[in-house]
PDB file of all heavy atoms in Angstrom:
ATOM      1  N   MET A   1     116.263  99.301  96.017  1.00  0.00           N
ATOM      2  CA  MET A   1     115.933  98.625  94.773  1.00  0.00           C
ATOM      3  C   MET A   1     114.774  97.677  95.077  1.00  0.00           C
ATOM      4  O   MET A   1     114.953  96.527  95.459  1.00  0.00           O
ATOM      5  CB  MET A   1     117.126  97.866  94.190  1.00  0.00           C
ATOM      6  CG  MET A   1     116.823  97.270  92.815  1.00  0.00           C
ATOM      7  SD  MET A   1     118.241  96.447  92.036  1.00  0.00           S
ATOM      8  CE  MET A   1     119.096  97.850  91.349  1.00  0.00           C
ATOM      9  N   ARG A   2     113.583  98.212  94.931  1.00  0.00           N
ATOM     10  CA  ARG A   2     112.368  97.506  95.326  1.00  0.00           C
ATOM     11  C   ARG A   2     111.386  97.534  94.160  1.00  0.00           C
ATOM     12  O   ARG A   2     111.304  98.524  93.428  1.00  0.00           O
ATOM     13  CB  ARG A   2     111.765  98.200  96.552  1.00  0.00           C
ATOM     14  CG  ARG A   2     110.541  97.555  97.178  1.00  0.00           C
ATOM     15  CD  ARG A   2     110.209  98.286  98.479  1.00  0.00           C
ATOM     16  NE  ARG A   2     109.135  97.661  99.225  1.00  0.00           N
ATOM     17  CZ  ARG A   2     107.861  98.052  99.180  1.00  0.00           C
ATOM     18  NH1 ARG A   2     107.511  99.082  98.423  1.00  0.00           N
ATOM     19  NH2 ARG A   2     106.941  97.438  99.900  1.00  0.00           N
ATOM     20  N   MET A   3     110.648  96.469  93.988  1.00  0.00           N
ATOM     21  CA  MET A   3     109.622  96.426  92.962  1.00  0.00           C
ATOM     22  C   MET A   3     108.389  95.737  93.537  1.00  0.00           C
ATOM     23  O   MET A   3     108.479  94.639  94.082  1.00  0.00           O
ATOM     24  CB  MET A   3     110.111  95.654  91.730  1.00  0.00           C
ATOM     25  CG  MET A   3     109.193  95.757  90.527  1.00  0.00           C
ATOM     26  SD  MET A   3     109.595  94.562  89.197  1.00  0.00           S
ATOM     27  CE  MET A   3     111.358  94.776  89.000  1.00  0.00           C
ATOM     28  N   VAL A   4     107.248  96.398  93.432  1.00  0.00           N
ATOM     29  CA  VAL A   4     105.980  95.837  93.889  1.00  0.00           C
ATOM     30  C   VAL A   4     105.162  95.510  92.641  1.00  0.00           C
ATOM     31  O   VAL A   4     105.089  96.320  91.715  1.00  0.00           O
ATOM     32  CB  VAL A   4     105.220  96.834  94.782  1.00  0.00           C
ATOM     33  CG1 VAL A   4     103.972  96.180  95.367  1.00  0.00           C
ATOM     34  CG2 VAL A   4     106.125  97.357  95.892  1.00  0.00           C
ATOM     35  N   PHE A   5     104.558  94.343  92.606  1.00  0.00           N
ATOM     36  CA  PHE A   5     103.807  93.934  91.422  1.00  0.00           C
ATOM     37  C   PHE A   5     102.740  92.941  91.850  1.00  0.00           C
ATOM     38  O   PHE A   5     102.817  92.341  92.929  1.00  0.00           O
ATOM     39  CB  PHE A   5     104.740  93.294  90.375  1.00  0.00           C
ATOM     40  CG  PHE A   5     105.616  92.222  90.945  1.00  0.00           C
ATOM     41  CD1 PHE A   5     105.199  90.905  90.998  1.00  0.00           C
ATOM     42  CD2 PHE A   5     106.866  92.540  91.475  1.00  0.00           C
ATOM     43  CE1 PHE A   5     105.997  89.922  91.547  1.00  0.00           C
ATOM     44  CE2 PHE A   5     107.675  91.564  92.034  1.00  0.00           C
ATOM     45  CZ  PHE A   5     107.239  90.251  92.079  1.00  0.00           C
ATOM     46  N   GLY A   6     101.741  92.758  91.002  1.00  0.00           N
ATOM     47  CA  GLY A   6     100.703  91.797  91.339  1.00  0.00           C
ATOM     48  C   GLY A   6      99.601  91.773  90.315  1.00  0.00           C
ATOM     49  O   GLY A   6      99.429  92.715  89.533  1.00  0.00           O
ATOM     50  N   GLU A   7      98.870  90.683  90.320  1.00  0.00           N
ATOM     51  CA  GLU A   7      97.710  90.574  89.434  1.00  0.00           C
ATOM     52  C   GLU A   7      96.624  91.550  89.905  1.00  0.00           C
ATOM     53  O   GLU A   7      96.427  91.731  91.114  1.00  0.00           O
ATOM     54  CB  GLU A   7      97.161  89.146  89.449  1.00  0.00           C
ATOM     55  CG  GLU A   7      98.168  88.052  89.110  1.00  0.00           C
ATOM     56  CD  GLU A   7      98.568  88.027  87.633  1.00  0.00           C
ATOM     57  OE1 GLU A   7      98.061  88.874  86.849  1.00  0.00           O
ATOM     58  OE2 GLU A   7      99.389  87.170  87.265  1.00  0.00           O
ATOM     59  N   PRO A   8      95.912  92.179  88.975  1.00  0.00           N
ATOM     60  CA  PRO A   8      94.879  93.143  89.377  1.00  0.00           C
ATOM     61  C   PRO A   8      93.796  92.558  90.286  1.00  0.00           C
ATOM     62  O   PRO A   8      93.215  93.270  91.104  1.00  0.00           O
ATOM     63  CB  PRO A   8      94.282  93.587  88.035  1.00  0.00           C
ATOM     64  CG  PRO A   8      95.379  93.381  87.047  1.00  0.00           C
ATOM     65  CD  PRO A   8      96.101  92.153  87.517  1.00  0.00           C
ATOM     66  N   ASP A   9      93.535  91.231  90.157  1.00  0.00           N
ATOM     67  CA  ASP A   9      92.508  90.622  91.005  1.00  0.00           C
ATOM     68  C   ASP A   9      93.043  90.166  92.361  1.00  0.00           C
ATOM     69  O   ASP A   9      92.305  89.592  93.171  1.00  0.00           O
ATOM     70  CB  ASP A   9      91.850  89.440  90.280  1.00  0.00           C
ATOM     71  CG  ASP A   9      92.810  88.278  90.008  1.00  0.00           C
ATOM     72  OD1 ASP A   9      93.999  88.361  90.402  1.00  0.00           O
ATOM     73  OD2 ASP A   9      92.375  87.276  89.404  1.00  0.00           O
ATOM     74  N   GLY A  10      94.332  90.411  92.626  1.00  0.00           N
ATOM     75  CA  GLY A  10      94.911  90.067  93.925  1.00  0.00           C
ATOM     76  C   GLY A  10      95.358  88.629  94.066  1.00  0.00           C
ATOM     77  O   GLY A  10      95.856  88.242  95.131  1.00  0.00           O
ATOM     78  N   SER A  11      95.242  87.837  93.016  1.00  0.00           N
ATOM     79  CA  SER A  11      95.610  86.420  93.117  1.00  0.00           C
ATOM     80  C   SER A  11      97.127  86.241  93.106  1.00  0.00           C
ATOM     81  O   SER A  11      97.858  87.050  92.545  1.00  0.00           O
ATOM     82  CB  SER A  11      95.002  85.630  91.947  1.00  0.00           C
ATOM     83  OG  SER A  11      95.518  86.096  90.711  1.00  0.00           O
ATOM     84  N   ARG A  12      97.584  85.171  93.737  1.00  0.00           N
ATOM     85  CA  ARG A  12      99.012  84.834  93.755  1.00  0.00           C
ATOM     86  C   ARG A  12      99.273  83.841  92.623  1.00  0.00           C
ATOM     87  O   ARG A  12      99.398  82.629  92.847  1.00  0.00           O
ATOM     88  CB  ARG A  12      99.411  84.256  95.110  1.00  0.00           C
ATOM     89  CG  ARG A  12      99.289  85.252  96.246  1.00  0.00           C
ATOM     90  CD  ARG A  12      99.702  84.639  97.587  1.00  0.00           C
ATOM     91  NE  ARG A  12     101.097  84.218  97.598  1.00  0.00           N
ATOM     92  CZ  ARG A  12     102.124  85.033  97.848  1.00  0.00           C
ATOM     93  NH1 ARG A  12     101.901  86.318  98.112  1.00  0.00           N
ATOM     94  NH2 ARG A  12     103.361  84.567  97.849  1.00  0.00           N
ATOM     95  N   SER A  13      99.325  84.348  91.416  1.00  0.00           N
ATOM     96  CA  SER A  13      99.482  83.492  90.241  1.00  0.00           C
ATOM     97  C   SER A  13     100.875  82.876  90.229  1.00  0.00           C
ATOM     98  O   SER A  13     101.836  83.432  90.777  1.00  0.00           O
ATOM     99  CB  SER A  13      99.272  84.316  88.968  1.00  0.00           C
ATOM    100  OG  SER A  13     100.302  85.288  88.836  1.00  0.00           O
ATOM    101  N   PRO A  14     101.021  81.699  89.591  1.00  0.00           N
ATOM    102  CA  PRO A  14     102.346  81.075  89.493  1.00  0.00           C
ATOM    103  C   PRO A  14     103.385  81.997  88.857  1.00  0.00           C
ATOM    104  O   PRO A  14     104.536  82.005  89.284  1.00  0.00           O
ATOM    105  CB  PRO A  14     102.084  79.836  88.632  1.00  0.00           C
ATOM    106  CG  PRO A  14     100.651  79.495  88.891  1.00  0.00           C
ATOM    107  CD  PRO A  14      99.960  80.817  89.056  1.00  0.00           C
ATOM    108  N   ARG A  15     102.985  82.771  87.846  1.00  0.00           N
ATOM    109  CA  ARG A  15     103.967  83.645  87.190  1.00  0.00           C
ATOM    110  C   ARG A  15     104.422  84.767  88.121  1.00  0.00           C
ATOM    111  O   ARG A  15     105.582  85.171  88.098  1.00  0.00           O
ATOM    112  CB  ARG A  15     103.415  84.205  85.883  1.00  0.00           C
ATOM    113  CG  ARG A  15     102.242  85.162  86.007  1.00  0.00           C
ATOM    114  CD  ARG A  15     101.732  85.610  84.651  1.00  0.00           C
ATOM    115  NE  ARG A  15     100.693  86.638  84.802  1.00  0.00           N
ATOM    116  CZ  ARG A  15     100.094  87.240  83.778  1.00  0.00           C
ATOM    117  NH1 ARG A  15     100.412  86.923  82.525  1.00  0.00           N
ATOM    118  NH2 ARG A  15      99.169  88.178  83.988  1.00  0.00           N
ATOM    119  N   ALA A  16     103.514  85.287  88.940  1.00  0.00           N
ATOM    120  CA  ALA A  16     103.879  86.339  89.885  1.00  0.00           C
ATOM    121  C   ALA A  16     104.785  85.788  90.984  1.00  0.00           C
ATOM    122  O   ALA A  16     105.766  86.428  91.380  1.00  0.00           O
ATOM    123  CB  ALA A  16     102.629  86.970  90.486  1.00  0.00           C
ATOM    124  N   VAL A  17     104.467  84.598  91.486  1.00  0.00           N
ATOM    125  CA  VAL A  17     105.289  83.965  92.525  1.00  0.00           C
ATOM    126  C   VAL A  17     106.692  83.680  91.993  1.00  0.00           C
ATOM    127  O   VAL A  17     107.703  83.939  92.665  1.00  0.00           O
ATOM    128  CB  VAL A  17     104.620  82.663  93.022  1.00  0.00           C
ATOM    129  CG1 VAL A  17     105.559  81.889  93.935  1.00  0.00           C
ATOM    130  CG2 VAL A  17     103.318  82.982  93.755  1.00  0.00           C
ATOM    131  N   ALA A  18     106.779  83.171  90.762  1.00  0.00           N
ATOM    132  CA  ALA A  18     108.080  82.857  90.170  1.00  0.00           C
ATOM    133  C   ALA A  18     108.916  84.115  89.989  1.00  0.00           C
ATOM    134  O   ALA A  18     110.138  84.106  90.216  1.00  0.00           O
ATOM    135  CB  ALA A  18     107.880  82.152  88.826  1.00  0.00           C
ATOM    136  N   PHE A  19     108.279  85.211  89.608  1.00  0.00           N
ATOM    137  CA  PHE A  19     109.040  86.443  89.410  1.00  0.00           C
ATOM    138  C   PHE A  19     109.535  86.990  90.750  1.00  0.00           C
ATOM    139  O   PHE A  19     110.648  87.520  90.842  1.00  0.00           O
ATOM    140  CB  PHE A  19     108.211  87.490  88.672  1.00  0.00           C
ATOM    141  CG  PHE A  19     109.019  88.694  88.268  1.00  0.00           C
ATOM    142  CD1 PHE A  19     109.985  88.590  87.278  1.00  0.00           C
ATOM    143  CD2 PHE A  19     108.849  89.913  88.897  1.00  0.00           C
ATOM    144  CE1 PHE A  19     110.760  89.687  86.918  1.00  0.00           C
ATOM    145  CE2 PHE A  19     109.610  91.013  88.541  1.00  0.00           C
ATOM    146  CZ  PHE A  19     110.577  90.892  87.545  1.00  0.00           C
ATOM    147  N   ALA A  20     108.724  86.865  91.792  1.00  0.00           N
ATOM    148  CA  ALA A  20     109.156  87.305  93.116  1.00  0.00           C
ATOM    149  C   ALA A  20     110.403  86.524  93.558  1.00  0.00           C
ATOM    150  O   ALA A  20     111.336  87.091  94.146  1.00  0.00           O
ATOM    151  CB  ALA A  20     108.030  87.123  94.127  1.00  0.00           C
ATOM    152  N   GLU A  21     110.434  85.237  93.255  1.00  0.00           N
ATOM    153  CA  GLU A  21     111.595  84.419  93.605  1.00  0.00           C
ATOM    154  C   GLU A  21     112.825  84.848  92.810  1.00  0.00           C
ATOM    155  O   GLU A  21     113.939  84.889  93.334  1.00  0.00           O
ATOM    156  CB  GLU A  21     111.275  82.945  93.354  1.00  0.00           C
ATOM    157  CG  GLU A  21     110.230  82.385  94.317  1.00  0.00           C
ATOM    158  CD  GLU A  21     109.752  80.992  93.933  1.00  0.00           C
ATOM    159  OE1 GLU A  21     110.150  80.500  92.848  1.00  0.00           O
ATOM    160  OE2 GLU A  21     108.965  80.413  94.700  1.00  0.00           O
ATOM    161  N   MET A  22     112.635  85.207  91.539  1.00  0.00           N
ATOM    162  CA  MET A  22     113.757  85.670  90.715  1.00  0.00           C
ATOM    163  C   MET A  22     114.290  86.994  91.234  1.00  0.00           C
ATOM    164  O   MET A  22     115.507  87.227  91.247  1.00  0.00           O
ATOM    165  CB  MET A  22     113.299  85.806  89.262  1.00  0.00           C
ATOM    166  CG  MET A  22     114.431  86.098  88.284  1.00  0.00           C
ATOM    167  SD  MET A  22     115.547  84.698  88.053  1.00  0.00           S
ATOM    168  CE  MET A  22     117.136  85.512  88.239  1.00  0.00           C
ATOM    169  N   CYS A  23     113.409  87.871  91.657  1.00  0.00           N
ATOM    170  CA  CYS A  23     113.839  89.151  92.228  1.00  0.00           C
ATOM    171  C   CYS A  23     114.720  88.930  93.451  1.00  0.00           C
ATOM    172  O   CYS A  23     115.747  89.602  93.629  1.00  0.00           O
ATOM    173  CB  CYS A  23     112.630  90.007  92.612  1.00  0.00           C
ATOM    174  SG  CYS A  23     111.784  90.786  91.229  1.00  0.00           S
ATOM    175  N   LYS A  24     114.325  87.977  94.292  1.00  0.00           N
ATOM    176  CA  LYS A  24     115.107  87.679  95.497  1.00  0.00           C
ATOM    177  C   LYS A  24     116.523  87.258  95.123  1.00  0.00           C
ATOM    178  O   LYS A  24     117.506  87.707  95.730  1.00  0.00           O
ATOM    179  CB  LYS A  24     114.407  86.597  96.315  1.00  0.00           C
ATOM    180  CG  LYS A  24     115.079  86.298  97.639  1.00  0.00           C
ATOM    181  CD  LYS A  24     114.272  85.264  98.443  1.00  0.00           C
ATOM    182  CE  LYS A  24     114.936  84.978  99.778  1.00  0.00           C
ATOM    183  NZ  LYS A  24     114.169  83.980 100.569  1.00  0.00           N
ATOM    184  N   LYS A  25     116.653  86.405  94.111  1.00  0.00           N
ATOM    185  CA  LYS A  25     117.969  85.973  93.647  1.00  0.00           C
ATOM    186  C   LYS A  25     118.804  87.153  93.159  1.00  0.00           C
ATOM    187  O   LYS A  25     120.034  87.164  93.282  1.00  0.00           O
ATOM    188  CB  LYS A  25     117.827  84.954  92.517  1.00  0.00           C
ATOM    189  CG  LYS A  25     117.280  83.608  92.922  1.00  0.00           C
ATOM    190  CD  LYS A  25     117.169  82.695  91.702  1.00  0.00           C
ATOM    191  CE  LYS A  25     116.475  81.379  92.052  1.00  0.00           C
ATOM    192  NZ  LYS A  25     116.298  80.543  90.840  1.00  0.00           N
ATOM    193  N   ALA A  26     118.112  88.149  92.579  1.00  0.00           N
ATOM    194  CA  ALA A  26     118.802  89.289  91.980  1.00  0.00           C
ATOM    195  C   ALA A  26     119.102  90.397  92.979  1.00  0.00           C
ATOM    196  O   ALA A  26     119.681  91.426  92.597  1.00  0.00           O
ATOM    197  CB  ALA A  26     117.959  89.842  90.835  1.00  0.00           C
ATOM    198  N   GLY A  27     118.720  90.214  94.231  1.00  0.00           N
ATOM    199  CA  GLY A  27     118.953  91.263  95.224  1.00  0.00           C
ATOM    200  C   GLY A  27     117.960  92.401  95.136  1.00  0.00           C
ATOM    201  O   GLY A  27     118.170  93.477  95.705  1.00  0.00           O
ATOM    202  N   ILE A  28     116.855  92.176  94.425  1.00  0.00           N
ATOM    203  CA  ILE A  28     115.769  93.153  94.341  1.00  0.00           C
ATOM    204  C   ILE A  28     114.729  92.784  95.392  1.00  0.00           C
ATOM    205  O   ILE A  28     114.367  91.611  95.524  1.00  0.00           O
ATOM    206  CB  ILE A  28     115.115  93.131  92.942  1.00  0.00           C
ATOM    207  CG1 ILE A  28     116.139  93.491  91.859  1.00  0.00           C
ATOM    208  CG2 ILE A  28     113.915  94.072  92.873  1.00  0.00           C
ATOM    209  CD1 ILE A  28     115.660  93.216  90.443  1.00  0.00           C
ATOM    210  N   GLU A  29     114.259  93.765  96.126  1.00  0.00           N
ATOM    211  CA  GLU A  29     113.156  93.501  97.062  1.00  0.00           C
ATOM    212  C   GLU A  29     111.865  93.415  96.244  1.00  0.00           C
ATOM    213  O   GLU A  29     111.218  94.406  95.972  1.00  0.00           O
ATOM    214  CB  GLU A  29     113.048  94.608  98.112  1.00  0.00           C
ATOM    215  CG  GLU A  29     111.999  94.314  99.168  1.00  0.00           C
ATOM    216  CD  GLU A  29     111.741  95.485 100.106  1.00  0.00           C
ATOM    217  OE1 GLU A  29     112.485  96.484 100.051  1.00  0.00           O
ATOM    218  OE2 GLU A  29     110.759  95.398 100.892  1.00  0.00           O
ATOM    219  N   GLY A  30     111.536  92.210  95.833  1.00  0.00           N
ATOM    220  CA  GLY A  30     110.348  91.989  95.018  1.00  0.00           C
ATOM    221  C   GLY A  30     109.155  91.673  95.890  1.00  0.00           C
ATOM    222  O   GLY A  30     109.151  90.665  96.605  1.00  0.00           O
ATOM    223  N   VAL A  31     108.153  92.522  95.853  1.00  0.00           N
ATOM    224  CA  VAL A  31     106.976  92.368  96.713  1.00  0.00           C
ATOM    225  C   VAL A  31     105.786  91.974  95.857  1.00  0.00           C
ATOM    226  O   VAL A  31     105.342  92.746  94.997  1.00  0.00           O
ATOM    227  CB  VAL A  31     106.670  93.672  97.467  1.00  0.00           C
ATOM    228  CG1 VAL A  31     105.436  93.502  98.351  1.00  0.00           C
ATOM    229  CG2 VAL A  31     107.870  94.106  98.300  1.00  0.00           C
ATOM    230  N   LEU A  32     105.258  90.770  96.078  1.00  0.00           N
ATOM    231  CA  LEU A  32     104.059  90.318  95.388  1.00  0.00           C
ATOM    232  C   LEU A  32     102.851  90.839  96.159  1.00  0.00           C
ATOM    233  O   LEU A  32     102.575  90.406  97.274  1.00  0.00           O
ATOM    234  CB  LEU A  32     104.038  88.796  95.290  1.00  0.00           C
ATOM    235  CG  LEU A  32     102.763  88.146  94.742  1.00  0.00           C
ATOM    236  CD1 LEU A  32     102.318  88.791  93.450  1.00  0.00           C
ATOM    237  CD2 LEU A  32     102.996  86.652  94.545  1.00  0.00           C
ATOM    238  N   SER A  33     102.165  91.797  95.567  1.00  0.00           N
ATOM    239  CA  SER A  33     101.072  92.486  96.251  1.00  0.00           C
ATOM    240  C   SER A  33      99.727  91.846  95.932  1.00  0.00           C
ATOM    241  O   SER A  33      99.475  91.430  94.798  1.00  0.00           O
ATOM    242  CB  SER A  33     101.043  93.960  95.820  1.00  0.00           C
ATOM    243  OG  SER A  33      99.895  94.607  96.320  1.00  0.00           O
ATOM    244  N   GLU A  34      98.876  91.800  96.946  1.00  0.00           N
ATOM    245  CA  GLU A  34      97.505  91.361  96.744  1.00  0.00           C
ATOM    246  C   GLU A  34      96.556  92.558  96.631  1.00  0.00           C
ATOM    247  O   GLU A  34      95.340  92.393  96.545  1.00  0.00           O
ATOM    248  CB  GLU A  34      97.079  90.439  97.888  1.00  0.00           C
ATOM    249  CG  GLU A  34      97.903  89.154  97.932  1.00  0.00           C
ATOM    250  CD  GLU A  34      97.544  88.239  99.088  1.00  0.00           C
ATOM    251  OE1 GLU A  34      96.563  88.555  99.807  1.00  0.00           O
ATOM    252  OE2 GLU A  34      98.234  87.216  99.281  1.00  0.00           O
ATOM    253  N   ALA A  35      97.131  93.775  96.615  1.00  0.00           N
ATOM    254  CA  ALA A  35      96.337  95.003  96.455  1.00  0.00           C
ATOM    255  C   ALA A  35      97.171  96.007  95.652  1.00  0.00           C
ATOM    256  O   ALA A  35      97.504  97.083  96.125  1.00  0.00           O
ATOM    257  CB  ALA A  35      95.959  95.574  97.818  1.00  0.00           C
ATOM    258  N   ILE A  36      97.511  95.631  94.427  1.00  0.00           N
ATOM    259  CA  ILE A  36      98.469  96.411  93.654  1.00  0.00           C
ATOM    260  C   ILE A  36      97.943  97.795  93.299  1.00  0.00           C
ATOM    261  O   ILE A  36      98.727  98.754  93.206  1.00  0.00           O
ATOM    262  CB  ILE A  36      98.909  95.636  92.387  1.00  0.00           C
ATOM    263  CG1 ILE A  36     100.077  96.337  91.692  1.00  0.00           C
ATOM    264  CG2 ILE A  36      97.744  95.418  91.443  1.00  0.00           C
ATOM    265  CD1 ILE A  36     101.309  96.504  92.520  1.00  0.00           C
ATOM    266  N   LEU A  37      96.636  97.953  93.126  1.00  0.00           N
ATOM    267  CA  LEU A  37      96.117  99.281  92.785  1.00  0.00           C
ATOM    268  C   LEU A  37      96.280 100.242  93.959  1.00  0.00           C
ATOM    269  O   LEU A  37      96.592 101.431  93.768  1.00  0.00           O
ATOM    270  CB  LEU A  37      94.652  99.195  92.354  1.00  0.00           C
ATOM    271  CG  LEU A  37      94.395  98.333  91.107  1.00  0.00           C
ATOM    272  CD1 LEU A  37      92.922  98.395  90.701  1.00  0.00           C
ATOM    273  CD2 LEU A  37      95.293  98.752  89.941  1.00  0.00           C
ATOM    274  N   THR A  38      96.125  99.749  95.177  1.00  0.00           N
ATOM    275  CA  THR A  38      96.399 100.577  96.354  1.00  0.00           C
ATOM    276  C   THR A  38      97.875 100.952  96.394  1.00  0.00           C
ATOM    277  O   THR A  38      98.220 102.113  96.666  1.00  0.00           O
ATOM    278  CB  THR A  38      96.002  99.837  97.640  1.00  0.00           C
ATOM    279  OG1 THR A  38      94.584  99.650  97.647  1.00  0.00           O
ATOM    280  CG2 THR A  38      96.401 100.633  98.881  1.00  0.00           C
ATOM    281  N   ASP A  39      98.739 100.004  96.091  1.00  0.00           N
ATOM    282  CA  ASP A  39     100.180 100.301  96.086  1.00  0.00           C
ATOM    283  C   ASP A  39     100.535 101.345  95.031  1.00  0.00           C
ATOM    284  O   ASP A  39     101.389 102.206  95.263  1.00  0.00           O
ATOM    285  CB  ASP A  39     100.979  99.016  95.844  1.00  0.00           C
ATOM    286  CG  ASP A  39     100.916  98.076  97.040  1.00  0.00           C
ATOM    287  OD1 ASP A  39     101.157  98.539  98.169  1.00  0.00           O
ATOM    288  OD2 ASP A  39     100.632  96.888  96.846  1.00  0.00           O
ATOM    289  N   LEU A  40      99.895 101.265  93.867  1.00  0.00           N
ATOM    290  CA  LEU A  40     100.114 102.280  92.834  1.00  0.00           C
ATOM    291  C   LEU A  40      99.778 103.671  93.357  1.00  0.00           C
ATOM    292  O   LEU A  40     100.516 104.632  93.141  1.00  0.00           O
ATOM    293  CB  LEU A  40      99.245 101.981  91.608  1.00  0.00           C
ATOM    294  CG  LEU A  40      99.767 101.026  90.545  1.00  0.00           C
ATOM    295  CD1 LEU A  40      98.685 100.809  89.489  1.00  0.00           C
ATOM    296  CD2 LEU A  40     101.028 101.563  89.895  1.00  0.00           C
ATOM    297  N   TRP A  41      98.670 103.774  94.042  1.00  0.00           N
ATOM    298  CA  TRP A  41      98.235 105.081  94.540  1.00  0.00           C
ATOM    299  C   TRP A  41      99.069 105.562  95.719  1.00  0.00           C
ATOM    300  O   TRP A  41      99.270 106.764  95.888  1.00  0.00           O
ATOM    301  CB  TRP A  41      96.747 105.041  94.887  1.00  0.00           C
ATOM    302  CG  TRP A  41      95.892 105.328  93.686  1.00  0.00           C
ATOM    303  CD1 TRP A  41      95.472 104.445  92.746  1.00  0.00           C
ATOM    304  CD2 TRP A  41      95.391 106.613  93.293  1.00  0.00           C
ATOM    305  NE1 TRP A  41      94.729 105.093  91.785  1.00  0.00           N
ATOM    306  CE2 TRP A  41      94.661 106.415  92.097  1.00  0.00           C
ATOM    307  CE3 TRP A  41      95.475 107.888  93.835  1.00  0.00           C
ATOM    308  CZ2 TRP A  41      94.022 107.469  91.436  1.00  0.00           C
ATOM    309  CZ3 TRP A  41      94.841 108.935  93.179  1.00  0.00           C
ATOM    310  CH2 TRP A  41      94.132 108.730  91.997  1.00  0.00           C
ATOM    311  N   ILE A  42      99.547 104.644  96.545  1.00  0.00           N
ATOM    312  CA  ILE A  42     100.443 105.046  97.639  1.00  0.00           C
ATOM    313  C   ILE A  42     101.669 105.755  97.060  1.00  0.00           C
ATOM    314  O   ILE A  42     102.096 106.804  97.553  1.00  0.00           O
ATOM    315  CB  ILE A  42     100.844 103.829  98.497  1.00  0.00           C
ATOM    316  CG1 ILE A  42      99.645 103.374  99.350  1.00  0.00           C
ATOM    317  CG2 ILE A  42     102.033 104.156  99.386  1.00  0.00           C
ATOM    318  CD1 ILE A  42      99.880 102.065 100.102  1.00  0.00           C
ATOM    319  N   LYS A  43     102.219 105.183  95.996  1.00  0.00           N
ATOM    320  CA  LYS A  43     103.358 105.850  95.356  1.00  0.00           C
ATOM    321  C   LYS A  43     102.929 107.143  94.673  1.00  0.00           C
ATOM    322  O   LYS A  43     103.667 108.132  94.671  1.00  0.00           O
ATOM    323  CB  LYS A  43     104.036 104.931  94.344  1.00  0.00           C
ATOM    324  CG  LYS A  43     105.250 105.614  93.699  1.00  0.00           C
ATOM    325  CD  LYS A  43     105.971 104.780  92.680  1.00  0.00           C
ATOM    326  CE  LYS A  43     107.123 105.561  92.078  1.00  0.00           C
ATOM    327  NZ  LYS A  43     107.840 104.815  91.019  1.00  0.00           N
TER     328      LYS A  43
END
């Protein structure tokens, strides 16, 4: 149960950081990516 997400410009925005912390609480492996378009293509 993993989710990778991130701003398209690679920034660590407050909203992205907060969501990563919420994922951790929920037992989801939440990965805040600084290269989300590469991650999209890897999948």
